[in-house]
Amino acid sequence: MTAEAPQLAGTEDHPHARLVLGSALASGSPSHAYLFHGPPGTGKRTAARALAAELLAEGEDDADAARTRALHGTHPDLTWVRPTGAHVMRVSDVEGPVVAAAGRTPFESKRRVFVLERVDTMNDEVANRLLKTLEEPPAFVHLILLTDQLGRVLETVVSRCQLVRFDPLPGERIAEMLEEEGVESGRAHAAARLSLGNASRARFLASDEGMALRGEVERLVFDALGAIHMEEPWRGLLQRAEERRDAAESAVDERKRERLEQEPRGRERSALEREFDETAKRDGRRARTEILELGLELAALAFRDLVAASSGADGAVLATDRIADLASAASDRDPVRLRQAAEACEDTRSSLQLNVTEELALSALTFRLRELVGS
Amino acid sequence: MTGLHPVYLISGEDDAKIDAWRARLRKRAEEEGGPGALETFDARETAPDALAAELATLTFNPGTRYLLADSVQSWKAADLEPLERAMADMSPDTVLVLIARGKVQARLQKAVQKAGGEVRAYEAPKPWEMHKWAIARAKEEGLTLDSEAAKLLVASVGGGQQRLSREIEKLALAAHPSATLSAEELQDFTPAESMRSAYDVADALVAGDGQAALAISERLLEQDEHGSKLMYAITRRLRDVHKAASLIEQGLPEQKVAASLGGPPWAAKKVIARAKGADRRALEHAICTFAELEIDLRGGGTTGLEEDTAFSLALTKAAAG
């Protein structure tokens, strides 16, 4: 490893991450386990891939080729684990792919790198399987764990890793990025503020699909306020979630079609087909859940904005492109009840993680909101 | 000779048909050889070679010997050879019945056919075909159910074949001497207590009769229903009635209300009738209560109560309005 370590992609806006990882690479003795934490969309995944590429390229005759393959996810010594459950990591996600594989020597590099996403979804059982590997891995093994919610990661896991912090991106920085990508300024600023430092969420919120989702959320909120009346104001939110699931499944189906074109008939093809089908279901389910959760979080933020607007604190409003509507809707509203409405949205969002009946949960939320803030 | 094949391989998911096969075989064996005449084996504990050895064993039984091996899907194809040989050389007065749940090994099928046996597969009806299965099952009991009645029955008692079968037997007895039941007759058919469904609990809540709701639910819980299962049907009904009440309040004609509810016309009519006298606020309170119950039952609550107790308490709270 050279003393002049490369500046890793994904760490541009994160001085702490840049310092920790840069020094580790420069010293030639990187830690056996890192835990990257910070809000979603801050570059953790990009940085993990870049770090894995550097670790796997070290000492290789053709370092560039090794780096490129790691960056493309095709290096045989790089294992990338995503939880297969919609809300949980399963034992099977780590047992074979990580715990067993960590005991085997690398295929071609001097190291093996394991990246585990969303480790906050690990329960005690999964963590217990992983602990020995995490504590005393073979010298050639490096684990990079990622989470958006450090507080939810088991302490036994946290204590065995070196923490690398990815700070939320400032709203202005995200808005700037969006504007550079061609998003109209007003929309870019509102999306950036509503994203709470999550660049990928901001990008989604600034898209037409994101704007449509915001529209559905507004209907839910304005129905609660009594400004409009809809029988099931949450129905549109569910439809958006369904559309998102279809899109995620179609994306996997497209990859499946391309991949299977090269695969001859036989057992391996069937296994591959099954694997793609499972991935499609999993990705679809996750995409659907993400939209529902985002919708409810936006609803909570909308009530928070109403509290700000009702108190005359327009500068604290996140949906800056809707200030006029918010101010008019907020007049004469009780801020305590508005805050309770925001909490009700958050409670419903949390309950979705328990796999409750969505229609029942959303119906109940609608009634509660109407009771709390209805005119 | 018995007039039977030497070997039968019965497979599939249709529990009712497979159970009927087993019962017929036991009856026949016991009629011919007395109690205990059917020799039974659990394939999960008896390997193919052990069963082959049993087939080769001489007995003092002068009549036909009946052997039944259950769960043969657990055998591995590689272990079948001794049994294949034994089946090919079976005594003429022996009948072997092999039962497999789900799919069965192709090698075993071939061996049975080669031994002059018969292979029968009974696939379980798909959920959307269950009402047709119920019609056919009712016919066996001399009862004619129309399609809507069968659908209602399936919706009321669930898609489990055993449970449906029991309900049909009870209905056939209760409806006697009538041999035909329509959906409306079935719905109004009260002698069989088990036909009281979660919808009745919901209807009692809608009518503001908390005591009746609790009484019906207690009876349902005694019949091995579970609070979580009842809760889904109850909330579905409550939400339908709430929706209908809301649309009626907006001045929508009943026909349009029925269309927006979906489902069979008689069911929509029933919901609309309930909605006319319903207290929307009370319904909303009940729906919110059951939403909280669901969170509780899924581990998100703080009560830590056992399922049926939590359900009964929620019902009391919902009834309080």
Side-chain angles (χ1 to χ4, degrees):
Chain A
M1 188 96 28
T2 61
E4 287 293 317
Q7 294 302 319
L8 295 178
T11 61
E12 296 83 353
D13 294 302
H14 306 287
H16 176 257
R18 177 161 282 215
L19 182 71
V20 173
L21 300 176
S23 341
L25 288 171
S27 69
S29 55
S31 168
H32 69 279
Y34 289 103
L35 175 54
F36 290 8
H37 66 96
T42 44
K44 295 187 295 295
R45 228 179 263 126
T46 310
R49 203 171 281 286
L51 176 61
E54 292 307 320
L55 292 172
L56 294 172
E58 191 213 344
E60 292 298 297
D61 292 339
D62 191 349
D64 282 342
R67 199 174 283 120
T68 307
R69 281 186 297 144
L71 291 172
H72 284 90
T74 54
H75 197 294
D77 293 318
L78 171 61
T79 303
W80 200 286
V81 176
R82 293 182 179 89
T84 55
H87 300 297
V88 290
M89 185 177 276
R90 298 191 171 114
V91 170
S92 58
D93 294 335
V94 298
E95 201 158 52
V98 183
V99 178
R104 294 192 282 270
T105 50
F107 289 100
E108 57 181 65
S109 169
K110 290 185 174 56
R111 293 180 165 125
R112 291 193 75 142
V113 179
F114 298 88
V115 181
L116 285 82
E117 288 191 19
R118 296 171 58 213
V119 292
D120 46 279
T121 60
M122 228 182 241
N123 58 20
D124 284 339
E125 199 186 353
V126 179
N128 284 339
R129 302 288 171 108
L130 195 66
L131 282 188
K132 194 163 164 41
T133 309
L134 206 52
E135 199 161 50
E136 295 171 340
F140 53 80
V141 166
H142 295 271
L143 294 122
I144 306 171
L145 280 55
L146 313 181
T147 181
D148 302 336
Q149 301 174 73
L150 183 63
R152 288 194 179 186
V153 183
L154 296 170
E155 188 47 43
T156 45
V157 173
V158 177
S159 63
R160 285 164 174 81
C161 300
Q162 182 170 0
L163 298 184
V164 182
R165 194 178 72 238
F166 285 72
D167 297 314
L169 295 175
E172 284 306 311
R173 169 83 184 100
I174 298 177
E176 203 177 285
M177 275 162 46
L178 293 178
E179 283 186 79
E180 280 166 18
E181 290 168 18
V183 178
E184 179 267 319
S185 174
R187 192 191 272 203
H189 277 84
R193 287 173 69 91
L194 284 167
S195 76
L196 307 177
N198 177 342
S200 49
R201 176 185 288 187
R203 205 164 275 124
F204 172 76
L205 289 175
S207 69
D208 289 343
E209 198 185 347
M211 290 300 284
L213 180 70
R214 286 184 64 196
E216 299 298 351
V217 171
E218 273 180 20
R219 273 185 271 283
L220 182 71
V221 172
F222 283 99
D223 170 89
L225 294 169
I228 57 169
H229 178 76
M230 295 176 76
E231 192 44 48
E232 293 172 332
W234 41 268
R235 186 64 69 185
L237 189 58
L238 277 185
Q239 273 164 7
R240 298 281 161 199
E242 282 298 331
E243 285 165 16
R244 190 72 169 170
R245 167 160 71 187
D246 291 346
E249 286 182 352
S250 301
V252 179
D253 282 345
E254 181 62 23
R255 289 209 306 274
K256 173 184 167 186
R257 197 183 53 74
E258 281 173 15
R259 177 68 184 81
L260 290 182
E261 268 175 13
Q262 304 153 18
E263 194 67 33
R265 287 189 183 282
R267 276 190 185 177
E268 280 185 23
R269 184 190 167 97
S270 306
L272 202 60
E273 219 164 338
R274 272 199 303 278
E275 198 178 308
F276 270 113
D277 289 343
E278 278 167 21
T279 307
K281 270 190 208 158
R282 191 174 63 226
D283 286 8
R285 205 166 48 232
R286 188 172 298 146
R288 187 179 189 284
T289 309
E290 275 170 8
I291 285 296
L292 276 182
E293 290 194 4
L294 175 59
L296 289 169
E297 193 178 340
L298 288 173
L301 291 178
F303 284 112
R304 177 209 166 276
D305 275 355
L306 286 165
V307 174
S310 71
S311 321
D314 286 2
V317 168
L318 299 175
T320 44
D321 54 348
R322 305 287 283 140
I323 282 186
D325 291 333
L326 288 166
S328 126
S331 64
D332 299 331
R333 302 278 175 181
D334 177 358
V336 175
R337 288 186 157 252
L338 289 171
R339 203 167 53 241
Q340 286 170 344
E343 283 165 8
C345 295
E346 273 300 318
D347 288 346
T348 305
R349 187 173 75 93
S350 308
S351 76
L352 292 182
Q353 290 176 3
L354 299 168
N355 281 328
V356 296
T357 315
E358 289 161 358
E359 294 199 357
L360 175 60
L362 292 169
S363 290
L365 174 65
T366 302
F367 302 146
R368 281 186 196 121
L369 292 178
R370 284 177 187 162
E371 198 182 327
L372 280 168
V373 297
S375 49
Chain B
M1 281 293 289
T2 58
L4 294 171
H5 291 284
V7 193
Y8 288 88
L9 175 58
I10 312 299
S11 67
E13 311 275 0
D14 192 335
D15 292 343
K17 282 190 179 155
I18 293 175
D19 287 346
W21 241 96
R22 189 186 287 103
R24 281 201 301 273
L25 182 71
R26 183 178 298 280
K27 191 177 171 205
R28 181 166 184 153
E30 292 185 350
E31 274 173 5
E32 291 179 18
L38 178 65
E39 296 173 46
T40 56
F41 304 90
D42 185 337
R44 288 166 297 190
E45 290 160 10
T46 310
D49 59 346
L51 185 63
E54 285 291 339
L55 280 173
T57 306
L58 290 174
T59 70
F60 294 107
N61 181 359
T64 304
R65 189 178 170 212
Y66 294 93
L67 297 95
L68 172 83
D70 218 330
S71 304
V72 300
Q73 76 282 354
S74 60
W75 285 339
K76 288 180 183 159
D79 299 333
L80 291 173
E81 200 193 331
L83 185 63
E84 285 171 343
R85 274 191 271 114
M87 286 196 298
D89 188 27
M90 265 171 57
S91 156
D93 288 328
T94 301
V95 174
L96 171 65
V97 177
L98 305 170
I99 291 181
R101 297 283 165 168
K103 285 192 176 174
V104 69
Q105 306 88 334
R107 184 169 170 176
L108 188 58
Q109 288 189 37
K110 279 185 194 160
V112 169
Q113 283 160 342
K114 204 172 164 188
E118 192 175 326
V119 175
R120 291 197 189 179
Y122 296 109
E123 293 311 324
K126 304 280 184 249
W128 57 90
E129 294 168 342
M130 206 43 109
H131 69 285
K132 288 183 187 163
W133 183 87
I135 291 171
R137 178 70 190 86
K139 208 169 177 181
E140 288 172 20
E141 297 293 331
L143 183 68
T144 304
L145 290 180
D146 66 24
S147 180
E148 288 302 328
K151 282 179 187 166
L152 173 67
L153 184 65
V154 173
S156 302
V157 304
Q161 285 172 279
Q162 304 280 13
R163 172 88 196 272
L164 267 175
S165 198
R166 281 204 308 274
E167 292 302 332
I168 288 168
E169 284 164 15
K170 286 184 203 168
L171 273 176
L173 283 172
H176 185 77
S178 170
T180 309
L181 279 182
S182 69
E184 290 204 350
E185 285 164 339
L186 188 76
Q187 184 80 340
D188 296 332
F189 210 83
T190 50
E193 197 57 58
S194 57
M195 278 306 293
R196 289 283 203 166
S197 71
Y199 285 168
D200 296 315
V201 180
D203 289 343
L205 280 177
V206 173
D209 190 347
Q211 275 194 332
L214 271 170
I216 301 167
S217 79
E218 286 304 319
R219 280 199 291 271
L220 289 168
L221 293 174
E222 277 166 18
Q223 287 163 20
D224 288 340
E225 289 287 7
H226 292 288
S228 55
K229 193 179 157 200
L230 292 175
M231 185 196 72
Y232 293 115
I234 293 171
T235 49
R236 193 178 156 188
R237 178 69 141 214
L238 292 177
R239 287 183 49 227
D240 277 349
V241 175
H242 181 273
K243 186 175 180 180
S246 178
L247 294 175
I248 291 167
E249 205 174 290
Q250 288 166 40
L252 224 63
E254 281 188 20
Q255 213 175 357
K256 286 198 173 171
V257 176
S260 81
L261 289 172
W266 59 263
K269 205 171 151 187
K270 199 154 243 182
V271 169
I272 291 168
R274 302 274 186 273
K276 280 179 182 165
D279 175 349
R280 268 183 58 201
R281 288 276 172 181
L283 283 176
E284 289 171 8
H285 168 75
I287 291 167
C288 290
T289 303
F290 283 111
E292 282 165 18
L293 171 66
E294 189 182 23
I295 293 171
D296 201 12
L297 294 181
R298 288 185 177 271
T302 50
T303 64
L305 289 171
E306 183 265 331
E307 180 181 323
D308 292 347
T309 311
F311 170 77
S312 296
L313 279 176
L315 195 59
T316 314
K317 191 178 164 193

